[in-house]
Amino acid sequence: MFKKLSFIFFFSMFFWSSAQKTDSLQIDFPAEYKLKLANSKENMQMKVLEYIPENENWENYSIIVTKLTMKNTASLPVATLFEYHRKQAEEKVHHLTVTELSENKQTGKEYKLFTMEADAYKESKDAESQVYYFVKGDKDIILCIAAVKQKKLPAEFVDEWSEIFLKSKFIK
């Protein structure tokens, strides 16, 4: 009897954990940034990983890279998520400039690559601009963000992080 219950429990746990798996996106960060995982949070709806250079902290970082997995959202069009995110940003910053760089809606992985540049947040005087990559997996949508505390992104930064994000791969 105990063996039967153990067997049933094992398979119940196996199927439950399989159902809980999220899409995993591998991003190869350039070594010169010396990025370390500085924050990791997860709940039923999302998983957030934030990276900053190893000798920096939340007050003085030169770059922050965030990977946010929105669980079980693959049925949502990436364009809808982009529009929602843009509207949210417009409410929080002064002088938002959004530049769409590339997108794929047809074959392969659906994605949208763009930048957001702002003079400052409305709640603070700090400037921050980002390169964004929204990509759809089998189950989830993953948002990748490389941000710097500047009003305008240097072209080299945009090119570098666009290439990094576009070279990322889903791990099965």
Side-chain angles (χ1 to χ4, degrees):
M1 179 72 170
F2 179 73
K3 283 185 180 182
K4 280 185 179 179
L5 287 176
S6 295
F7 184 76
I8 292 169
F9 176 76
F10 171 77
F11 277 100
S12 297
M13 290 305 294
F14 173 77
F15 288 116
W16 180 82
S17 66
S18 295
Q20 301 301 313
K21 289 185 179 176
T22 59
D23 290 321
S24 181
L25 187 70
Q26 179 181 337
I27 303 171
D28 295 327
F29 298 137
E32 68 263 19
Y33 288 102
K34 298 179 181 172
L35 294 172
K36 67 171 180 183
L37 181 61
N39 188 28
S40 176
K41 295 179 187 174
E42 184 169 6
N43 61 32
M44 295 298 288
Q45 292 83 29
M46 65 181 59
K47 179 179 182 178
V48 179
L49 303 173
E50 294 176 298
Y51 301 84
I52 59 175
E54 62 187 22
N55 294 322
E56 297 178 5
N57 59 45
W58 293 112
E59 287 76 39
N60 75 355
Y61 66 83
S62 56
I63 181 173
I64 182 169
V65 178
T66 304
K67 183 167 57 168
L68 187 151
T69 302
M70 296 175 54
K71 298 177 183 179
N72 301 310
T73 56
S75 62
L76 181 70
V78 171
T80 301
L81 179 62
F82 166 76
E83 286 302 320
Y84 174 79
H85 190 71
R86 184 182 56 75
K87 287 177 184 173
Q88 291 290 100
E90 285 173 345
E91 294 174 8
K92 294 179 182 178
V93 300
H94 295 289
H95 304 106
L96 179 67
T97 302
V98 178
T99 305
E100 296 184 41
L101 303 171
S102 69
E103 67 182 331
N104 181 20
K105 296 187 241 179
Q106 306 304 319
T107 59
K109 59 183 178 182
E110 181 182 346
Y111 73 84
K112 189 166 200 75
L113 181 68
F114 60 98
T115 63
M116 286 191 173
E117 298 171 304
D119 289 349
Y121 285 99
K122 290 181 178 175
E123 298 124 22
S124 73
K125 303 289 184 236
D126 296 333
E128 185 178 281
S129 296
Q130 308 91 6
V131 176
Y132 283 90
Y133 179 61
F134 290 2
V135 62
K136 186 182 287 195
D138 292 334
K139 297 180 191 175
D140 311 317
I141 295 178
I142 300 176
L143 289 62
C144 304
I145 309 156
V148 291
K149 294 179 181 180
Q150 297 177 20
K151 290 181 182 183
K152 296 283 181 197
L153 293 167
E156 303 82 30
F157 184 85
V158 173
D159 292 344
E160 176 184 33
W161 284 95
S162 294
E163 184 177 336
I164 290 165
F165 290 152
L166 289 172
K167 284 184 176 180
S168 65
K169 299 206 179 329
F170 281 100
I171 303 168
K172 297 288 178 180

